[in-house]
């Protein structure tokens, strides 16, 4: 019996072929379910005890030889597989180069403008809890101002939702950092709005926050004026009283666009003024919520929709164009 296994071992080691069908035949003969190896392992129990050790060693050696041989044979067939015939002289498949999305281009431009006066970018999650999106921003439960931002809820009690604005990032940042704070938070926001040419349930915002000692409304106005001059080349702005729960006082920012063309008349509805963002002095209650002493520190915040700014800069009429992925539209921004 032991001799028989030795013979098999020699046979296995000497076996050679590059024919895949023969390799498969060899595999089935030895390590198939009804193959020689299994048959030998079956016999193991009938072997007298004093021979069990020697017998066991032999079949294991055989088993290993079979495995090695199979590995060998297979790697040989791989090597001699006929080379794929490639005609290297044929022209390649043209590869389309992508372009940056207009929303990203304008976002980057806005970040650049604020970076030059010391603002850093801060990110936050798109899935938020009630505290960061509403409560800490002075929007208690049942406050009617919550209706201004129809919300997509993911879970209720405790409420988990898709952030309705990027102001949530400001709360997160203030919770974890000491003033002076100068941040910009760009990102996607979500509101449960009927989709129309003027609104969309996903859009992008960029918000700014500045907290330090003795920050005043004059600082806010100067900062915004610097911004509109850099972005639009227009320095005339006006601040109209408005309301946001997290700022006091609050204002809408209009930029004087002018009335030099028919388009100017159309987009400004004949007034020359365009609303571009909301802003205000951070409400002391918000500072208290994030453990910043409102007796020592003050600050301002502002926020704008990026789509709206792109639409103004490029005179686009429909917000849905940003999300249609129509290359003919996107490619027009190649050179920016
Ligand atoms: N978070 C406000 C909005 O989404 C915008 C805003 C930000 C207003 C900061 C004032 C200050 O409408």
């Amino acid at each position: 019996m032991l001799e028989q296994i030795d013979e098999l071992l020699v046979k296995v080691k000497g076996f050679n072929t590059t024919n895949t069908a023969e390799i498969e035949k060899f595999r089935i003969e030895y390590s198939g379910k009804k193959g020689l190896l299994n048959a030998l392992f079956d016999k193991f129990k009938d072997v007298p005890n004093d021979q069990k050790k020697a017998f066991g060693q032999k079949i294991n050696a055989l088993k290993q030889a079979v495995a090695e041989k199979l590995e060998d044979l297979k790697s040989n067939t791989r090597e001699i597989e006929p080379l794929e015939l490639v005609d290297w002289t044929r022209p390649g498949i043209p590869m389309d180069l992508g372009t940056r999305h207009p929303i990203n281009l304008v976002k980057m431009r806005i970040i650049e403008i604020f970076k030059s006066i010391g603002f850093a970018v801060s990110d936050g999650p798109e899935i938020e809890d009630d505290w960061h999106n509403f409560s800490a921003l002075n929007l208690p439960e049942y406050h009617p101002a919550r209706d201004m931002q129809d919300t997509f809820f993911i879970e209720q009690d405790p409420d988990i939702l898709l952030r309705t604005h990027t102001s949530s990032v400001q709360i997160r940042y203030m919770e974890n950092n000491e003033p002076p704070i100068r941040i910009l938070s760009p990102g996607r926001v979500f509101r449960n709005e009927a989709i129309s040419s003027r609104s969309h349930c996903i859009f992008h915002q960029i918000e700014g926050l500045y907290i330090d000692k003795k920050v005043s409304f004059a600082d806010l106005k100067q900062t915004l004026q610097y911004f509109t001059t850099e972005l639009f080349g227009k320095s005339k702005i006006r601040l109209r009283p408005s309301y946001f729960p997290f700022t006091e006082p609050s204002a809408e920012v209009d930029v004087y666009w002018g009335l030099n063309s028919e388009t100017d008349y159309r987009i400004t509805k004949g007034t020359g003024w365009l609303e571009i963002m909301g802003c205000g002095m951070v409400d002391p209650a918000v500072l208290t919520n994030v453990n910043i002493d409102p007796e020592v520190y003050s600050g301002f915040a502002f926020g704008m929709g990026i789509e709206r700014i792109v639409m103004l800069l490029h005179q686009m009429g429909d917000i849905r164009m940003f999300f249609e992925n129509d290359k003919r539209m996107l490619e027009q921004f190649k050179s920016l």
Side-chain angles (χ1 to χ4, degrees):
M1 183 79 124
L2 291 179
E3 272 163 38
Q4 205 187 332
I5 300 178
D6 280 337
E7 271 168 37
L8 283 174
L9 195 59
V10 174
K11 213 169 129 192
V12 165
K13 286 193 171 155
F15 182 75
N16 202 7
T17 180
T18 53
N19 181 317
T20 43
E22 276 177 34
I23 296 174
E24 182 58 7
K25 211 174 120 208
F26 172 86
R27 189 191 65 79
I28 294 169
E29 186 182 349
Y30 285 91
S31 31
K33 232 180 183 171
K34 294 180 181 155
L36 280 166
L37 281 169
N38 275 345
L40 285 170
F41 279 115
D42 275 349
K43 281 196 184 130
F44 186 78
K45 56 180 184 306
D46 307 324
V47 173
N49 273 346
D50 58 338
Q51 286 174 36
K52 268 203 158 81
K53 190 174 170 203
F55 186 84
Q57 277 170 352
K58 288 252 186 249
I59 21 179
N60 275 325
L62 182 65
K63 187 180 166 192
Q64 201 183 338
V66 170
E68 274 166 18
K69 178 56 77 178
L70 276 171
E71 194 52 37
D72 240 32
L73 293 173
K74 278 186 192 154
S75 66
N76 283 341
T77 59
R78 269 199 290 277
E79 267 164 38
I80 58 149
E81 257 172 27
L83 275 180
E84 203 187 325
L85 283 177
V86 177
D87 178 358
W88 298 105
T89 63
R90 280 175 58 185
I93 301 163
M95 198 164 62
D96 278 347
L97 276 189
T99 53
R100 285 209 161 101
H101 196 280
I103 292 179
N104 267 333
L105 286 167
V106 170
K107 178 182 90 178
M108 282 154 58
R109 177 79 190 107
I110 296 173
I111 290 174
E112 221 176 88
I113 293 172
F114 281 103
K115 257 194 181 158
S116 69
I117 51 169
F119 282 74
V121 172
S122 176
D123 268 335
E126 291 176 353
I127 295 175
E128 263 300 358
D129 51 31
D130 178 276
W131 171 253
H132 293 96
N133 196 81
F134 290 127
S135 299
L137 285 158
N138 209 24
L139 270 145
E141 215 181 335
Y142 308 121
H143 193 288
R146 282 198 186 197
D147 294 343
M148 282 161 63
Q149 307 184 347
D150 280 330
T151 310
F152 286 114
F153 287 96
I154 292 174
E155 274 171 35
Q156 264 171 327
D157 292 325
D159 289 350
I160 304 292
L161 45 96
L162 296 178
R163 68 178 176 195
T164 59
H165 51 185
T166 46
S167 308
S168 53
V169 182
Q170 306 181 0
I171 297 298
R172 287 186 179 275
Y173 195 88
M174 287 191 287
E175 279 175 340
N176 295 310
N177 295 276
E178 299 288 320
I181 288 169
R182 243 179 280 162
I183 54 158
L184 272 188
S185 27
R188 268 198 300 190
V189 301
F190 308 83
R191 291 188 196 176
N192 190 1
E193 289 176 1
I195 297 174
S196 69
S197 62
R198 304 209 52 201
S199 71
H200 197 262
C201 52
I202 301 178
F203 60 102
H204 297 74
Q205 279 190 336
I206 190 158
E207 295 207 2
L209 173 73
Y210 179 26
I211 309 281
D212 204 345
K213 288 177 183 157
K214 299 199 174 90
V215 177
S216 73
F217 203 83
D219 296 320
L220 169 60
K221 187 167 181 189
Q222 279 296 308
T223 307
L224 296 179
Q225 210 163 19
Y226 157 75
F227 168 67
T228 60
T229 310
E230 290 291 306
L231 187 66
F232 303 116
K234 301 187 193 287
S235 60
K236 192 167 161 186
I237 61 170
R238 74 179 178 198
L239 299 171
R240 263 183 302 116
S242 183
Y243 172 76
F244 298 102
F246 30 87
T247 46
E248 182 59 36
S250 306
E252 301 288 348
V253 184
D254 297 340
V255 59
Y256 189 70
W257 202 257
L259 284 171
N260 299 316
S261 68
E262 218 174 299
T263 318
D264 292 350
Y265 269 91
R266 188 168 44 80
I267 60 176
T268 68
K269 299 200 183 80
T271 65
W273 291 96
L274 270 179
E275 181 185 322
I276 54 158
M277 66 168 109
C279 70
M281 301 305 292
V282 178
D283 195 301
V286 174
L287 294 178
T288 308
N289 283 340
V290 293
N291 289 326
I292 292 177
D293 186 350
E295 299 292 332
V296 181
Y297 293 104
S298 58
F300 61 72
F302 55 87
M304 65 196 116
I306 301 180
E307 280 81 350
R308 181 169 165 75
I309 305 283
V310 186
M311 287 165 82
L312 287 178
L313 281 171
H314 302 290
Q315 260 123 57
M316 291 164 58
D318 192 327
I319 194 173
R320 290 169 295 193
M321 290 171 102
F322 290 117
F323 304 96
E324 282 167 351
N325 289 335
D326 186 336
K327 276 171 68 186
R328 290 167 305 178
M329 192 282 271
L330 298 172
E331 276 169 355
Q332 295 177 46
F333 295 89
K334 234 178 203 161
S335 54
L336 292 183

